[in-house]
Amino acid sequence: MDSLEGILDEIARAGDEHLDPGYVAEYDRKAAFAADAVEEVQLLCGLGLEQGSTLVDLGAGTGTLSLAAAARCRRVVAVDVSPAMLRATEEKAAALGVSNVECVHAGFLTYEHRGSPADFVYSRNALHHLPDFWKALALRRIGLILRPGGILRLRDIVFAFDWLLEPMLERAGFQISEAGYGSRRIYAEYLCMKTDESAGPIAVD
Ligand SMILES: C[S@@+](CC[C@H](N)C(=O)[O-])C[C@H]1O[C@@H](n2cnc3c(N)ncnc32)[C@H](O)[C@@H]1O
């Protein structure tokens, strides 16, 4: 996979609060994502997540989804640009005795997947940190992480950006199998399947 490191400073765009250990310490209480994450894992299990699966959580934050998924699959990779978020994930994993969650300090544009291709990629409330052009590249890179038939679960703030995000997903080689929008269309949830193996390497000159 081509390295895009240095082209866009993902840490600078990550939101200062996500880098702040004080904010991170309060994140789980404020985000209140734990129960929702369990439902999300159930959804993924219904789509084939099982003991042999690999799941990559991009913009994993404090690892709520990663840790909820860990017991249901073989390997979870929690990826985030924030060292404080990753530390929180590691501490929670250690406290829970979870050993199959790997924390990787990287972003959408720099994460280099190793090992067998992922069966699932999950990303919640993180992609919006990238400007639009870079979102398209990030989606292409996600396509390269996933095996054919692999599933992307994407949830994010879209601000009526779905008209642009959806063609981006399709151009990145995904088929959108389900799309849900909040009543004000500022938030969207997608289930996508990687279908197009021809979405080749990304060239950034
Ligand atoms: C609102 S939090 C969401 C965390 C988690 N996904 C959740 O739903 O609780 C956004 C996360 O995205 C991370 N982030 C921001 N920009 C990123 C990027 N370019 N690549 C990877 N992670 C990023 C932040 O550090 C932060 O942990």
Side-chain angles (χ1 to χ4, degrees), residues 10 14 18 27 33 59-61 80-82 85 107-108 124-126 129:
E10 292 183 270
H18 295 137
Y27 181 83
F33 177 38
D80 205 288
V81 289
S82 162
M85 290 287 190
F108 286 100
R124 176 183 180 263
N125 298 359
H129 287 284

Side-chain angles (χ1 to χ4, degrees), residues 44-167:
L44 301 183
C45 288
L47 294 165
L49 185 77
E50 45 84 27
Q51 292 301 329
S53 302
T54 295
L55 178 148
V56 176
D57 185 3
L58 287 170
T62 55
T64 305
L65 185 284
S66 293
L67 293 165
R72 310 300 293 267
C73 57
R74 182 178 67 84
R75 180 183 182 211
V76 179
V77 188
V79 180
D80 205 288
V81 289
S82 162
M85 290 287 190
L86 292 172
R87 239 183 340 267
T89 303
E90 282 166 353
E91 284 169 10
K92 282 161 62 177
L96 293 167
V98 170
S99 58
N100 61 339
V101 174
E102 297 160 38
C103 289
V104 175
H105 185 220
F108 286 100
L109 305 176
T110 56
Y111 172 63
E112 300 281 345
H113 187 69
R114 302 196 197 291
S116 51
D119 304 289
F120 289 84
V121 169
Y122 190 90
S123 188
R124 176 183 180 263
N125 298 359
L127 187 68
H128 67 270
H129 287 284
L130 296 182
D132 295 346
F133 168 76
W134 300 97
K135 286 186 182 82
L137 280 185
L139 294 172
R140 286 289 296 273
R141 291 178 68 83
I142 291 171
L144 298 176
I145 292 169
L146 277 168
R147 67 165 168 78
I151 302 286
L152 165 64
R153 172 66 164 163
L154 176 66
R155 303 175 70 189
D156 209 350
I157 297 156
V158 291
F159 292 116
F161 169 75
D162 45 306
W163 63 273
L164 189 51
L165 185 58
E166 291 174 12

